[in-house]
mmCIF file of all heavy atoms in Angstrom:
data_model
loop_
_atom_site.group_PDB
_atom_site.id
_atom_site.type_symbol
_atom_site.label_atom_id
_atom_site.label_comp_id
_atom_site.label_asym_id
_atom_site.label_seq_id
_atom_site.Cartn_x
_atom_site.Cartn_y
_atom_site.Cartn_z
ATOM 1 N N ASN A 68 70.016 80.983 134.875
ATOM 2 C CA ASN A 68 69.670 82.442 135.038
ATOM 3 C C ASN A 68 68.173 82.502 135.554
ATOM 4 O O ASN A 68 67.399 81.631 135.315
ATOM 5 C CB ASN A 68 69.628 83.119 133.593
ATOM 6 C CG ASN A 68 69.046 84.493 133.648
ATOM 7 O OD1 ASN A 68 69.727 85.357 134.172
ATOM 8 N ND2 ASN A 68 67.957 84.767 133.201
ATOM 9 N N THR A 69 67.880 83.505 136.444
ATOM 10 C CA THR A 69 66.640 83.638 137.035
ATOM 11 C C THR A 69 65.987 84.972 136.565
ATOM 12 O O THR A 69 66.541 86.082 136.653
ATOM 13 C CB THR A 69 66.756 83.741 138.522
ATOM 14 O OG1 THR A 69 67.257 82.441 139.014
ATOM 15 C CG2 THR A 69 65.234 83.851 139.154
ATOM 16 N N ILE A 70 64.821 84.928 135.902
ATOM 17 C CA ILE A 70 63.998 86.092 135.686
ATOM 18 C C ILE A 70 63.210 86.354 137.020
ATOM 19 O O ILE A 70 62.513 85.383 137.494
ATOM 20 C CB ILE A 70 63.006 85.847 134.544
ATOM 21 C CG1 ILE A 70 63.692 85.519 133.230
ATOM 22 C CG2 ILE A 70 62.082 87.012 134.369
ATOM 23 C CD1 ILE A 70 62.836 85.086 132.104
ATOM 24 N N SER A 71 63.253 87.530 137.493
ATOM 25 C CA SER A 71 62.516 87.911 138.697
ATOM 26 C C SER A 71 61.489 88.826 138.456
ATOM 27 O O SER A 71 61.700 89.906 137.815
ATOM 28 C CB SER A 71 63.513 88.596 139.752
ATOM 29 O OG SER A 71 64.512 87.592 140.182
ATOM 30 N N ILE A 72 60.196 88.456 138.919
ATOM 31 C CA ILE A 72 59.045 89.385 138.706
ATOM 32 C C ILE A 72 58.807 89.899 140.187
ATOM 33 O O ILE A 72 58.507 89.135 141.111
ATOM 34 C CB ILE A 72 57.842 88.561 138.240
ATOM 35 C CG1 ILE A 72 58.205 87.992 136.902
ATOM 36 C CG2 ILE A 72 56.612 89.508 138.099
ATOM 37 C CD1 ILE A 72 57.076 86.931 136.471
ATOM 38 N N VAL A 73 58.824 91.182 140.329
ATOM 39 C CA VAL A 73 58.603 91.865 141.571
ATOM 40 C C VAL A 73 57.410 92.664 141.507
ATOM 41 O O VAL A 73 57.210 93.621 140.673
ATOM 42 C CB VAL A 73 59.805 92.776 141.921
ATOM 43 C CG1 VAL A 73 59.569 93.547 143.254
ATOM 44 C CG2 VAL A 73 61.168 92.012 141.943
ATOM 45 N N ALA A 74 56.489 92.332 142.420
ATOM 46 C CA ALA A 74 55.134 93.048 142.519
ATOM 47 C C ALA A 74 55.235 93.928 143.808
ATOM 48 O O ALA A 74 55.609 93.370 144.873
ATOM 49 C CB ALA A 74 53.981 92.111 142.521
ATOM 50 N N CYS A 75 54.778 95.236 143.688
ATOM 51 C CA CYS A 75 54.759 95.982 144.839
ATOM 52 C C CYS A 75 53.794 97.163 144.700
ATOM 53 O O CYS A 75 53.727 97.711 143.494
ATOM 54 C CB CYS A 75 56.154 96.583 145.200
ATOM 55 S SG CYS A 75 56.294 97.654 146.605
ATOM 56 N N ASP A 76 52.966 97.507 145.678
ATOM 57 C CA ASP A 76 52.017 98.615 145.482
ATOM 58 C C ASP A 76 51.110 98.381 144.268
ATOM 59 O O ASP A 76 50.720 99.421 143.664
ATOM 60 C CB ASP A 76 52.685 99.930 145.366
ATOM 61 C CG ASP A 76 53.366 100.355 146.646
ATOM 62 O OD1 ASP A 76 53.016 99.810 147.772
ATOM 63 O OD2 ASP A 76 54.246 101.235 146.682
ATOM 64 N N GLY A 77 50.843 97.167 143.928
ATOM 65 C CA GLY A 77 49.894 96.918 142.850
ATOM 66 C C GLY A 77 50.552 97.007 141.368
ATOM 67 O O GLY A 77 49.893 96.962 140.374
ATOM 68 N N LEU A 78 51.906 97.158 141.387
ATOM 69 C CA LEU A 78 52.556 97.208 140.128
ATOM 70 C C LEU A 78 53.578 96.112 140.029
ATOM 71 O O LEU A 78 54.064 95.579 140.972
ATOM 72 C CB LEU A 78 53.299 98.604 140.038
ATOM 73 C CG LEU A 78 52.405 99.841 140.135
ATOM 74 C CD1 LEU A 78 53.268 101.156 140.213
ATOM 75 C CD2 LEU A 78 51.522 99.955 138.911
ATOM 76 N N LYS A 79 53.938 95.758 138.712
ATOM 77 C CA LYS A 79 54.725 94.590 138.444
ATOM 78 C C LYS A 79 55.816 94.890 137.462
ATOM 79 O O LYS A 79 55.691 95.240 136.403
ATOM 80 C CB LYS A 79 53.816 93.448 137.976
ATOM 81 C CG LYS A 79 54.428 92.093 137.878
ATOM 82 C CD LYS A 79 53.390 90.997 137.804
ATOM 83 C CE LYS A 79 52.578 91.018 136.613
ATOM 84 N NZ LYS A 79 51.742 89.802 136.427
ATOM 85 N N VAL A 80 56.981 94.449 137.954
ATOM 86 C CA VAL A 80 58.294 94.687 137.148
ATOM 87 C C VAL A 80 59.000 93.346 137.040
ATOM 88 O O VAL A 80 59.135 92.592 137.989
ATOM 89 C CB VAL A 80 59.212 95.674 137.832
ATOM 90 C CG1 VAL A 80 60.491 95.809 137.191
ATOM 91 C CG2 VAL A 80 58.553 96.932 137.970
ATOM 92 N N ALA A 81 59.502 93.090 135.824
ATOM 93 C CA ALA A 81 60.293 91.833 135.566
ATOM 94 C C ALA A 81 61.685 92.285 135.101
ATOM 95 O O ALA A 81 61.852 93.054 134.275
ATOM 96 C CB ALA A 81 59.627 90.971 134.611
ATOM 97 N N HIS A 82 62.651 91.717 135.782
ATOM 98 C CA HIS A 82 64.103 91.784 135.449
ATOM 99 C C HIS A 82 64.485 90.419 134.799
ATOM 100 O O HIS A 82 64.457 89.436 135.497
ATOM 101 C CB HIS A 82 64.984 92.195 136.551
ATOM 102 C CG HIS A 82 66.405 92.473 136.254
ATOM 103 N ND1 HIS A 82 67.314 91.561 135.904
ATOM 104 C CD2 HIS A 82 67.057 93.714 136.160
ATOM 105 C CE1 HIS A 82 68.470 92.072 135.645
ATOM 106 N NE2 HIS A 82 68.388 93.433 135.781
ATOM 107 N N PHE A 83 65.038 90.419 133.567
ATOM 108 C CA PHE A 83 65.316 89.250 132.793
ATOM 109 C C PHE A 83 66.697 88.648 133.053
ATOM 110 O O PHE A 83 67.018 87.640 132.633
ATOM 111 C CB PHE A 83 64.956 89.388 131.381
ATOM 112 C CG PHE A 83 63.507 89.446 131.044
ATOM 113 C CD1 PHE A 83 62.733 90.473 131.419
ATOM 114 C CD2 PHE A 83 62.889 88.331 130.257
ATOM 115 C CE1 PHE A 83 61.324 90.505 131.007
ATOM 116 C CE2 PHE A 83 61.565 88.401 129.937
ATOM 117 C CZ PHE A 83 60.826 89.405 130.365
ATOM 118 N N GLY A 84 67.543 89.460 133.799
ATOM 119 C CA GLY A 84 68.937 88.932 134.072
ATOM 120 C C GLY A 84 69.676 88.738 132.780
ATOM 121 O O GLY A 84 69.527 89.474 131.812
ATOM 122 N N ASP A 85 70.510 87.709 132.787
ATOM 123 C CA ASP A 85 71.295 87.402 131.524
ATOM 124 C C ASP A 85 70.600 86.205 130.814
ATOM 125 O O ASP A 85 71.185 85.214 130.600
ATOM 126 C CB ASP A 85 72.650 86.914 131.967
ATOM 127 C CG ASP A 85 73.678 88.041 131.888
ATOM 128 O OD1 ASP A 85 73.273 89.201 131.573
ATOM 129 O OD2 ASP A 85 74.859 87.827 131.969
ATOM 130 N N LEU A 86 69.341 86.481 130.472
ATOM 131 C CA LEU A 86 68.523 85.411 129.711
ATOM 132 C C LEU A 86 69.313 85.130 128.429
ATOM 133 O O LEU A 86 69.595 86.023 127.666
ATOM 134 C CB LEU A 86 67.099 85.981 129.515
ATOM 135 C CG LEU A 86 66.228 85.084 128.776
ATOM 136 C CD1 LEU A 86 65.907 83.839 129.521
ATOM 137 C CD2 LEU A 86 64.940 85.735 128.260
ATOM 138 N N GLY A 87 69.537 83.773 128.184
ATOM 139 C CA GLY A 87 70.240 83.429 126.984
ATOM 140 C C GLY A 87 69.454 82.453 126.190
ATOM 141 O O GLY A 87 69.903 81.987 125.175
ATOM 142 N N CYS A 88 68.166 82.335 126.474
ATOM 143 C CA CYS A 88 67.272 81.401 125.647
ATOM 144 C C CYS A 88 65.874 82.062 125.659
ATOM 145 O O CYS A 88 65.561 82.906 126.503
ATOM 146 C CB CYS A 88 67.199 79.999 126.280
ATOM 147 S SG CYS A 88 66.599 80.042 127.953
ATOM 148 N N VAL A 89 65.125 81.655 124.637
ATOM 149 C CA VAL A 89 63.709 82.152 124.624
ATOM 150 C C VAL A 89 62.906 81.381 125.582
ATOM 151 O O VAL A 89 62.895 80.088 125.573
ATOM 152 C CB VAL A 89 63.141 82.004 123.209
ATOM 153 C CG1 VAL A 89 61.654 82.427 123.150
ATOM 154 C CG2 VAL A 89 63.997 82.831 122.262
ATOM 155 N N PRO A 90 62.204 81.948 126.532
ATOM 156 C CA PRO A 90 61.348 81.264 127.465
ATOM 157 C C PRO A 90 60.284 80.345 126.830
ATOM 158 O O PRO A 90 59.858 80.637 125.692
ATOM 159 C CB PRO A 90 60.723 82.411 128.322
ATOM 160 C CG PRO A 90 61.662 83.562 128.114
ATOM 161 C CD PRO A 90 62.170 83.432 126.703
ATOM 162 N N THR A 91 59.877 79.305 127.527
ATOM 163 C CA THR A 91 58.890 78.445 127.042
ATOM 164 C C THR A 91 57.500 79.151 127.086
ATOM 165 O O THR A 91 57.379 80.266 127.781
ATOM 166 C CB THR A 91 58.757 77.222 127.823
ATOM 167 O OG1 THR A 91 58.292 77.560 129.250
ATOM 168 C CG2 THR A 91 60.110 76.494 127.992
ATOM 169 N N GLU A 92 56.512 78.645 126.499
ATOM 170 C CA GLU A 92 55.109 79.359 126.526
ATOM 171 C C GLU A 92 54.648 79.328 127.954
ATOM 172 O O GLU A 92 54.004 80.294 128.296
ATOM 173 C CB GLU A 92 54.256 78.447 125.641
ATOM 174 C CG GLU A 92 54.472 78.576 124.070
ATOM 175 C CD GLU A 92 54.444 80.126 123.626
ATOM 176 O OE1 GLU A 92 53.511 80.856 124.051
ATOM 177 O OE2 GLU A 92 55.328 80.509 122.884
#
């Protein structure tokens, strides 16, 4: 699964998709 971070116009959005595990630090 891919978490996508999209930055545009100085703002930042993350879509976590079908995340099935806790991300690492």
